[in-house]
Amino acid sequence: MTKSATSPDVSIVVPAKNEAENLPGLIRGIHDAFASTTHSIEIIVVDDKSDDNSLTVLEKLRSDFSELRVLTHPQSAGQSAAVHSGTRAAKAAFICTLDGDGQNPPSELPRLVAPLLAANAPAELALVAGQRVGRQDTMSKKLASKAANGIRSFILKDETRDTGCGLKSFKRDAFLELPYFDHMHRYLPALFSMNNWTVAHVDVSHRAREAGRSNYSNLQRALVGLVDLFGVAWLIRRRKKARASEAAVAQEHGNT
């Protein structure tokens, strides 16, 4: 049974901008997904300076769903900033994320977080990343995503087929140890691996957008993605050099 708690088992973080039409079904879906489980939850919607009636809709939803919390950005800061804000505010040790557009089915959330909550969960497991199957998007978006994922995988060697999927679960503390930068949400498998955490993958379903429109174009994604990609590659190389230096110092100390 889903119940409110001072320290919930799972915090679900939803970045949203101008998704007023999608939010009621999404919040209901998250609530229902955990209703038959023993896990207590909180739902944190981070409104990224919407200019539709999202805040009015969310205020009404709060009267029906006691587990719902609403955070607002004073100015639009993007999806990564919303995920970061929500995770910092979260009360649970384990976080789930999904996009506010309703294309990520909330019914996938319990399955996604299950590996982290399992009694025999490996201590080094920190991220479970969803990978979309049967993606319900336009052909141009699917082709652009496939190309971007191929380039990213080739350069970062992150062994991830689909980093653009909003469905993810992770350890809160491990996430907050990562270097924060804009668009970091697209590189979480590589960033967690960089910090010596284990990453697992789960295939998840995908739905067509029912209302509203995307806040990104294919060109926008490509331009910012190229810059970010090389930045992440630099971070990983720097971390490897730092570890090599630390190992050399440790070896030297061991010989004295």
Side-chain angles (χ1 to χ4, degrees):
M1 177 183 294
T2 302
K3 58 183 182 298
S4 298
T6 302
S7 297
D9 299 320
V10 184
S11 296
I12 296 93
V13 175
V14 184
K17 181 176 182 178
N18 295 335
E19 301 290 358
E21 294 177 86
N22 293 312
L23 286 170
L26 184 63
I27 302 305
R28 167 60 68 181
I30 296 171
H31 173 89
D32 290 349
F34 285 92
S36 60
T37 74
T38 59
H39 306 311
S40 60
I41 67 168
E42 64 175 354
I43 305 170
I44 303 174
V45 176
V46 184
D47 183 78
D48 193 37
K49 191 62 175 176
S50 294
D51 52 24
D52 62 1
N53 65 329
S54 288
L55 290 178
T56 301
V57 170
L58 287 167
E59 190 59 35
K60 291 179 179 178
L61 289 169
R62 287 179 62 191
S63 63
D64 295 326
F65 300 98
S66 60
E67 67 267 42
L68 177 60
R69 298 170 58 194
V70 179
L71 304 181
T72 59
H73 283 169
Q75 58 185 13
S76 182
Q79 186 169 344
S80 285
V83 171
H84 200 260
S85 295
T87 300
R88 287 183 61 190
K91 298 175 182 177
F94 300 98
I95 309 295
C96 284
T97 65
L98 75 167
D99 294 340
D101 57 15
Q103 291 194 260
N104 300 144
S107 58
E108 299 281 12
L109 291 172
R111 192 165 63 92
L112 201 71
V113 76
L116 291 171
L117 295 173
N120 60 346
E124 65 274 13
L125 177 63
L127 171 67
V128 181
Q131 299 188 127
R132 290 165 289 189
V133 175
R135 186 171 173 181
Q136 302 299 304
D137 272 323
T138 62
M139 183 57 67
S140 62
K141 184 173 287 189
K142 287 190 284 189
L143 290 174
S145 179
K146 184 176 182 179
N149 277 307
I151 294 170
R152 186 214 68 256
S153 180
F154 176 76
I155 292 177
L156 299 184
K157 305 294 190 294
D158 58 5
E159 300 180 356
T160 299
R161 187 180 73 240
D162 177 22
T163 60
C165 179
L167 279 164
K168 291 183 173 67
S169 64
F170 49 79
K171 291 181 177 178
R172 177 181 181 272
D173 289 348
F175 174 85
L176 293 177
E177 289 174 356
L178 301 178
Y180 170 76
F181 56 92
D182 199 13
H183 308 117
M184 68 175 290
H185 66 279
R186 297 182 184 136
Y187 300 95
L188 290 184
L191 293 171
F192 273 92
S193 297
M194 179 185 75
N195 275 7
N196 280 344
W197 292 107
T198 297
V199 176
H201 298 89
V202 173
D203 285 345
V204 296
S205 56
H206 190 245
R207 304 188 299 202
R209 176 184 272 273
E210 294 183 358
R213 59 189 180 88
S214 175
N215 294 302
Y216 302 98
S217 69
N218 291 337
L219 179 60
Q220 283 175 311
R221 292 179 190 271
L223 291 176
V224 299
L226 188 61
V227 174
D228 294 335
L229 177 58
F230 288 111
V232 173
W234 175 81
L235 280 173
I236 293 173
R237 286 197 302 272
R238 187 180 71 168
R239 184 60 56 90
K240 286 180 178 178
K241 288 180 179 179
R243 288 199 180 114
S245 177
E246 291 169 0
V249 170
Q251 180 65 33
E252 181 180 349
H253 287 172
N255 292 333
T256 58

